[in-house]
Every structure is written in structure tokens, then in C-alpha cells.
Amino acid sequence: MIIQDLMTISSQKEIAQNIFEMKLNGKLVGEITSPGQFVHIRVSDSFEPLLRRPISIAEMNPEKNEMTIIYRAEGRGTSLLSEKREGDVVNVLGPLGNGFPVEETTAGQTAVLIGGGIGVPPLYELSKQLTAKGVNCIHILGFESDQVVFYEEEFAALGETHIATVDGSNGTQGFVTNVMSEIADDFETFYSCGPMPMLDAVQKAYVHKKGFLSFEQRMGCGIGACFACVCHTNENATDQTYVKVCSDGPVFPAGVVQI
Amino acid sequence: MNRLAMTLPGLELKNPIMPASGCFGFGKEYGNLYDLSQLGAIMIKATTEETRYGNPTPRVAETSSGMLNAIGLQNPGLQGVLNNELPWLEKFDVPIIANVAGSETADYVEVAKQISKAPNVQALELNISCPNVKCGGILFGTDPEIAKELTAAVKAVSAVPVYVKLSPNVTDVKAMALAVEAGGADGITMINTLVGMRLDEKTGKPVIANKTGGLSGPAIKPVAIRMVYEVSQVVTIPIIGMGGVTCVQDVVDFMSAGASAVAVGTANFVDPFVCPTIIEQLPARLDELGIDHISELVGRSHRV
């Protein structure tokens, strides 16, 4: 169930250049049903900035009523969020959307998780849940440079982890696709989150595989009422069918959304 | 005594607070969050005769204390609304105001004729002010004579009272208000969004795919208050005011300016519980103002 919760910040730290990890405590955590869901955060008590910020959930701990979000302080809203400190209270709406289907991969099978930049965080909880049930996870994480690489060790603790950086300062030089071409093709499913061109490349490379992609789109309400975040689907030739990223997604089976 | 009850043509309102059209979908999303029967009414998303798929994305952009949108009246069409949206809302004890849009007079007339017969539709809101569609909308909303004729045509077929939603994107809003009143409008809703644009800081190009969008949110409240103030002095039909309402004081301001009820739009995106919160806080605010019944607020800015 979607609730609006006043969550308390239990920790906030910069884990890479302008990349922040924030841990939040509140009853909303008990409502999270799948990795890949997101929350809508009000970053200010005033109406400047006006809209909430959609941020994916990177990790959850229902026993402690705690969740982790990882975000890039880029615009005004996320910069304001990065200035908040431990003990501060944040107005959070969520959990929102439908996450990655963990049940699509069974114990003993292999899943490839491909993330780009700030699309990496939701893959962490996904990998934790998949590995916990006996799935072998291979992670391919793409970043601009070593300065913005995060959670390399955390992912490595869960399974085989490959890093790609555009400038070659960490791991393979280039994009996640450069690593993908070197990975054995004997896996069952892929899960991906990142910028649209990356999702496009991943989908094309693994067209013969079962996969799930998480999309991003500018949002208004975050709950499906305003129709701001629509994407066209591949359902018919007229390109007139659509889905709402916030409430139908953000995760869709590969091939459903027109990229 | 219900201190918040208001009676308007076709509408027995438990309170004068209602979500504005376009900001509340067809109610389902918010109906999962709280009991919609708490609301005074619901202004549902614009309905056109045919299914509309809306504008390309990005469709929204944030601005200073506001937002731009160019959704493009995306909706499942008249039959979709009649079959799949309105029946679901029947379980709530709340009047529905159906927002009617079209490209030409015949479209408006057809939608009005059919949707006004739905059991829970108590009034129509004639959308002649959407700034984001190429045909219809803004053309009907900026020419007084055309607006008057359209109002009369819809009134002739509607089974329920007709409110006309005025655009702020005109030189003389009073002339538009008088025109629709002369056309037989039972009430006026105002204002719709102001046409605006935001450019990308890096590329210098418009952020919204449609280039321009409708500006809403707290940034437009002073414009809306001024227009309600002006129009309420020249027409005799009631006004439902809106534009940047976020809190209980904004409701007091709109009613003081001359509105008989108030719609909440963009604030629903910031706080999905904003409407029930305002309704809950209204009695205490009336106490603070020394007012017994909310109707005493209406138009007090004009009184000597």
C-alpha cells in the first residue's frame, strides 16, 4: 500500500563524487514489495522547489524499518536533499511502482544485472534477493569515471562484478556493452536499469533472452494520475498504446516499451 | 449544522473543496489512498469523444514555485470514461463534475449529451481553455462570441448544469465571463493554466516536447485571485476558483475574492492528501476568523 511517511534520516554520506547514500527509518519500509520500487521525496517544506523527487530504493531492512536510497546531487532538489543531516525528518511517499520480478529467475540459474550510473542502486537490493534464493548473479556496472563509481565492493560480495568506465579509469574502458560482449551467453535472465540508450543497447544485445528493464521519465504525481510519464509501447503498429512509468512500471519486460 | 456545506447549481457540496480536472485522473489513484466521499466534489480528467493519446514527452517541467505541463488531454474517450471510469466512482458519495473537451462544437455537444446522463455526473465543466492542444481548447476560450455560442450549444443538450472553465490567457477575462453567462452558463470555473515556457539551462532549447506548456502551482495564485475578484463583480452566476491552491488560507483567499467553491490542482502532486487535509482544517480556520458558515467568506473582499 502507498503511504506518506515522515521518515527519519539515520545516516547520510557522500560515497562518490556527488553521489549520496541516505538511510531512512519509518513504517513505509514495511510496505515495500519488490526491488526496483521507488519513493517520491519532498525535499523542502516550502513550494520551492515544488515537485517531489522520484528516487529508487537501493536496499531495505524490514526488521530495522530502514531503507537505503542512493542519489546523485545534480539539480536543486537533490542538492537540497544532500544537505539534510542525520536526525532530520523527510516526507516520503511510497513505495511506488512495480519492481523487478525476482520470481522470474529460480535457484541455480544465472542472472545478469546491468546498471548504468544512477540506475545502479535498485540492482543492489535485487541482487541481494536473487543471491539469497540461490541465483548466481553477474553484475555489469557502468559509470562515467572512477570518481563516480560506488558499491563496487558491495556488489562483488554478492557475485561476479564487472565495472566499465567511459574514461577507463576503473575496469573496462567504454560502456557496459563492451563488458557484455565478453560474458558467456549461458544465463537465463537479465535485469537492467540506466539511461535509455543503455537500455536500448542491452535489449538489442539480449533479444533472445528473458529480461526486465527499469525506465525513467519526468514525473508529476508519481502515482498514475497525471499522465506525465507515459511511454509508448510496441504493442501495435500505430504506436498509440502507452504505459505509465510511475504506476505501470518502472520495470517492464524487455520489448514492451518503445525505446 | 454543516458549516462547510455549499449549494451551487446541480451541486450539493458537503464542503467547497474539490480536486481540479487534470490533476486527479479519474479518481482511482487517489481513491486507493483515502475515502473520496470526504471531498466536496471531483472534477474528473477532460473527456473527448475519441480516445486521445496526448503529447510527446517530456510533458512536465518544474519552474519557480510552479510547473509547466503539456499532457495534451490524454484520455480513454467518451465510451471508455462512461464504461470504465465513471461506474467505479459510483461507490463514493461525491458529486462528479465531468470536464468536456473537443476540437469543434459537434464534439463538445456529443460528449456533453452523453456524459451528462451518467448517474453520478452532477455538472459539466466545459473545457474551452486547454492551452496544450492544437484544435479546440484555446480558440474557444479566447473569442467571446465563439465561447457564447459553444456554451449555448452545450446547454441545449446537457442534462445537468454547465460550468465553463475560463482561460487566463486573454486580455479581458470579464468579457469572456459575461459572454459565457449570456450563453447560458450556470457557473464559471477559473482559472486554467497560463501559457509558459522553460528553456534547458545547457542546450537553450524548450524543456517540454510541446515547447510551451500550462503554468500551474503557487506561482499563479495572485493572477487567479485577481481574475476571480474581477469576474465575480460582473457576473451573477457562481464561480469555482482555482490556481495555486495549496492550503486552507488559499481557500479563504479565493472565497474572499468571490469564489463559492475552490478546486485544488497541482498541490495534489506535492501532497496527495492535500484535499482531505484542507477540509479537516477549515472549521478551525473559520473559528479563528470568527465565521459561523463558510458562505460568509464569499466575496467579502468586495464589501465596503
Side-chain angles (χ1 to χ4, degrees), chain B residues 8-9 174 177-178 180-182 184-188 230-239 258 260 298:
Chain B
L8 273 63
K174 296 192 293 295
L178 288 165
V180 300
E181 185 178 40
D186 298 283
I188 285 168
E230 286 181 354
V231 167
S232 63
Q233 291 178 84
V234 298
V235 298
T236 58
I237 52 178
I239 296 168
S260 298
V298 180

Side-chain angles (χ1 to χ4, degrees), chain A residues 98 211-215 231 243-245 248-257:
Chain A
N98 302 297
F212 302 90
L213 309 174
S214 181
F215 288 83
C231 283
V243 285
K244 291 181 257 188
V245 170
D248 297 325
V251 176
F252 296 95
V256 167
V257 172

Side-chain angles (χ1 to χ4, degrees), chain A residues 35-57:
Chain A
Q37 287 186 296
F38 66 100
V39 289
H40 223 189
I41 298 184
R42 199 169 165 196
V43 296
S44 163
D45 291 334
S46 76
F47 292 102
E48 181 56 33
L50 182 67
L51 297 175
R52 288 170 175 272
R53 266 46 184 179
I55 297 177
S56 60
I57 299 163

Side-chain angles (χ1 to χ4, degrees), chain B residues 29-240:
Chain B
E29 293 79 11
Y30 292 90
N32 292 328
L33 300 180
Y34 63 86
D35 180 6
L36 301 181
S37 301
Q38 296 174 67
L39 300 168
I42 297 174
M43 299 167 129
I44 58 171
K45 192 162 170 54
T47 300
T48 52
E49 191 173 7
E50 303 298 331
T51 303
R52 281 188 62 96
Y53 298 96
N55 292 325
T57 57
R59 293 175 168 187
V60 292
E62 198 172 44
T63 60
S64 300
S65 298
M67 68 173 266
L68 293 165
N69 91 82
I71 306 297
L73 299 182
Q74 180 163 352
N75 77 92
L78 176 61
Q79 291 311 317
V81 173
L82 288 174
N83 297 334
N84 307 322
E85 307 291 350
L86 283 167
W88 185 85
L89 284 165
E90 282 179 34
K91 64 180 146 194
F92 299 103
D93 174 28
V94 60
I96 304 299
I97 302 172
N99 186 294
V100 174
S103 300
E104 50 189 85
T105 303
D107 302 338
Y108 282 95
V109 166
E110 190 55 33
V111 176
K113 191 198 277 182
Q114 293 198 47
I115 207 165
S116 67
K117 290 176 188 152
N120 49 350
V121 169
Q122 305 297 309
L124 300 185
E125 180 180 50
L126 204 51
N127 187 345
I128 59 168
S129 45
C130 178
N132 299 324
V133 291
K134 285 196 176 70
C135 299
I138 200 80
L139 289 174
F140 288 95
T142 52
D143 183 318
E145 200 52 39
I146 293 172
K148 179 183 165 188
E149 286 170 15
L150 179 68
T151 304
V154 168
K155 266 296 284 181
V157 299
S158 177
V160 295
V162 176
Y163 292 70
V164 181
K165 189 167 189 175
L166 299 185
S167 168
N169 304 303
V170 293
T171 309
D172 184 0
V173 72
K174 296 192 293 295
M176 291 301 300
L178 288 165
V180 300
E181 185 178 40
D186 298 283
I188 285 168
T189 66
M190 62 188 295
I191 59 173
N192 206 321
T193 55
L194 289 138
V195 180
M197 183 186 271
R198 182 183 141 189
L199 304 180
D200 183 273
E201 291 78 3
K202 289 177 189 154
T203 66
K205 296 200 167 75
V207 170
I208 287 185
N210 195 48
K211 294 188 175 65
T212 62
L215 179 65
S216 63
I220 73 166
K221 185 188 149 190
V223 178
I225 292 284
R226 184 265 293 178
M227 289 189 162
V228 170
Y229 180 86
E230 286 181 354
V231 167
S232 63
Q233 291 178 84
V234 298
V235 298
T236 58
I237 52 178
I239 296 168
I240 300 174

Side-chain angles (χ1 to χ4, degrees), chain B residues 17-20 23 241-242 245-246 251 262-268 274-275 278:
Chain B
I17 308 302
M18 56 191 79
C23 300
M242 67 198 81
V245 177
T246 64
V251 173
V262 177
V264 184
T266 304
N268 288 288
V274 64
C275 287
I278 288 174

